[in-house]
Amino acid sequence: MSKAFYVTTPIYYVSGRPHLGSAYTTIAADVLARYHALRGERVVFATGTDEHGEKVAREAAAAGKPVQVYVDEMAQAYVDLWEQLHIRYDRFIRTSEPQHVRVVQAVFSKLLETGDIYLGEYAGWYCVPCEAHLLESEVQEGCCPDCGRAVERISQPAYFLRTSRYAQRLLDHIEANEEFILPDTRRREVIGFIRQGLQDACISRARSDWDIPVPGDDTQSVYVWFDALINYLTVAGYPDNSAQMGDTWPPDVQLMGKDILPRFHATIWPALLMALGLPLPRTLFAHGWWLADTGDKMSKSKGNFIYPQEVAEELCELSGARTAVAIDALRYFVLREVPFGLDGTFGLRTFIGRFNADLANDLGNLLNRSLPLVDRYLGGVVPEPGPGAGELADDIAAARDGVEAALAVADYRGALEAIWELLGKGNKFLDTREPWTLHRDGKMVELQAVLYDVLDVVRSVAILISPFMPVVAEDICDQLGLEPSEALQWRLVEGGKLPPGTRTRKESPIFPRVDMARMEAKLQAREAAVEKDKDEERQEATTPLLSFDEFRQMDLRVARVLSAEKIAGADKLLKLQVDAGEPTPRQLVAGIAQEFSVDELVGKLVVVITNLQPAKIRGVESNGMVLAAGAEKALALLTVDRDCPVGTRIR
Ligand code: ME8
């Protein structure tokens, strides 16, 4: 069997729900997997969940659930999201699987035998959220350099992987193989990191119930990162099935965020493979961060995660597009908007803007203009190309070559630009060749050639975009009257492969345009509400602390409302007379007329502050204030929970 194209994502921690960041890497891997499958290659696309470690155990405890129950639920959240995002993986690996546990223990035992693993003593810093051991020099004012949270000091016996033994070989490999670490900025960063000196990696910790036990030592458990990296070997069948291993190993592309490259995937991982005598992956690609619109990295502590389902729903609501189309649009957007490798800021306006410009206009227009013409002039049947057809064949070939070259180095944006160039050519071709004029002038042979060529571009584009937008590609095939499973093959990205005689279908537009003014109004209203919340928070945060004596200066009393009447010309105000246990009733003005009726107020026990400086409100004297809950509107009035004499002091 020929070697499969093997692509991986990191396995995600189950300590949180999947979000746009985890979706990003998985969508990128899915595009490569689909692209290679489209070319007729055998593909192994693996993703999964990283379920051991201190962080997961703590989250489970915080959720009040047994760890296994907790990880089962969280892993399911990933499986569900991947289904919604049209992710077609071959293997979903969970590190709590018995098979994986066996592989980790087998690797551990083997490397103990070869002396690549040894028992030592770890004394240093540990970041629980990142599950990372840190050097003294890396800790910044007691905090982790990556996530900024407080680190913990640990000192305990531990096993180490002799990473240092492989430092030079690894450097040589990186220098000899330019594609081993991409993009180039990351490659240079890793070279610098290794040159600083590679310390042996700590790969165990004091025994915990949840982690994989170290074989033959019941005081120690395997460190979560050592366990996690081995998932890529488990997927390939190591060590039981070396024949299958040969068909899959090594990985062709391993995708990840830039946070987990230098310390883990570009050092411990290759050192581990060298120690096992296995070939290294062909490419490790570290992409950038998606940041929230505030410019912050999405993180639990900031609570600013973007969830793909919510973004897609928003687009559906604004445009009326089908959910599956909105999901495809999001897949397109994340790979088109930002060069793979750089950071990007996610904003709904940019997303919708691209949806209108690239999908509704460029792609949607070519479809929505060409199909009705074929319908009107040719009875909805794909014509024979005839003489003169094939004018766009070179453009189709150029787009195909462009996509191939770009995807060979995970340049998704470059691939999409090549496809959009072809779309531009198709749209321009319609404008300049004016099929409506050809029809008016009775030039039927030319008309057929032009419409054939345009539909052939549409068909080729459907194949080219299918790794990115699989549902949209099928929708386009449907509109062209083609069977997707037959039409969507890479070898058919070539001019002249559209079968004449095919009957096209009239369907509603795939990408209904978003009304930008409506969106703007909606976003502005939402932003104003957020601002208001923030203001309130700020006010609360800046309220100064009172001393007890200062608090005691407020004279709060139980009082009964004797009468209430509206103040002429002021919708919100009531004039109240209250009995606060004083010789005469007290008059005060309260801004509660819209929330409370006179009837519900009269006779009610309330709480008033009596030593406020008197004020004149709308010409009415007010001696104090009724206390109410609610920042602007009164949501409820303060009262006492059982009857007590008016005038009772509140303390
Ligand atoms: O690190 N932008 O798991 P993890 C882009 N279990 N990508 C992001 C992102 C963002 N804002 N946030 C997360 C782990 N990612 C380990 C991996 S592998 C043997 C073990 C993506 O749940 C990105 O791919 O923290 C990053 O590397 C990964 O999610 C981290 O996922």
Side-chain angles (χ1 to χ4, degrees), residues 556-560 604-608 637-646 648-651:
L556 300 171
R557 303 270 172 176
V558 176
R560 189 178 301 281
K604 202 174 180 64
L605 274 186
V606 292
V607 174
V608 295
L637 291 180
L638 260 69
T639 182
V640 282
D641 76 343
R642 60 187 74 162
D643 232 2
C644 65
V646 290
T648 307
R649 176 118 200 228
I650 290 173
R651 51 190 181 112

Side-chain angles (χ1 to χ4, degrees), residues 21-35:
S22 22
Y24 184 46
T25 325
T26 314
I27 291 168
D30 186 60
V31 169
L32 284 188
R34 286 179 181 271
Y35 165 67

Side-chain angles (χ1 to χ4, degrees), residues 181-238:
I181 294 173
L182 290 176
D184 199 49
T185 43
R186 299 272 95 84
R187 179 167 174 266
R188 278 181 270 132
E189 180 189 17
V190 168
I191 293 175
F193 181 77
I194 301 175
R195 286 212 179 116
Q196 279 173 15
L198 262 197
Q199 306 234 341
D200 290 346
C202 179
I203 55 162
S204 76
R205 62 187 191 110
R207 182 62 156 254
S208 75
D209 291 341
W210 178 239
D211 293 317
I212 301 180
V214 165
D217 182 345
D218 54 16
T219 68
Q220 296 277 308
S221 294
V222 176
Y223 168 47
V224 61
W225 261 102
F226 187 79
D227 156 5
L229 288 165
I230 291 173
N231 94 81
Y232 306 127
L233 285 167
T234 307
V235 168
Y238 184 87

Side-chain angles (χ1 to χ4, degrees), residues 10-13 19 21-22 24-25 50 78 225 228-229 231-232 256-257 259-260 265 287-290 297-298:
I11 46 171
Y12 304 103
Y13 287 128
H19 50 81
S22 22
Y24 184 46
T25 325
D50 191 352
Y78 282 86
W225 261 102
L229 288 165
N231 94 81
Y232 306 127
M256 70 207 70
D259 56 329
I260 56 174
H265 283 82
H287 61 69
W289 292 125
W290 275 105
K297 192 187 156 205
M298 286 184 273

Side-chain angles (χ1 to χ4, degrees), residues 2-5 30-43 88 252 282 397 399-409 415 463-464 466-467 485-493:
S2 63
K3 161 141 174 20
F5 175 79
D30 186 60
V31 169
L32 284 188
R34 286 179 181 271
Y35 165 67
H36 283 270
L38 204 58
R39 299 173 63 95
E41 293 169 49
R42 196 166 67 83
V43 169
R88 204 174 59 184
D252 292 83
R282 186 173 64 79
R400 183 196 56 217
D401 295 349
V403 173
E404 287 176 357
L407 287 188
V409 288
I463 308 172
L464 291 165
S466 65
S485 60
E486 285 165 19
L488 298 175
Q489 298 185 50
W490 200 252
R491 60 179 180 79
L492 298 178
V493 187

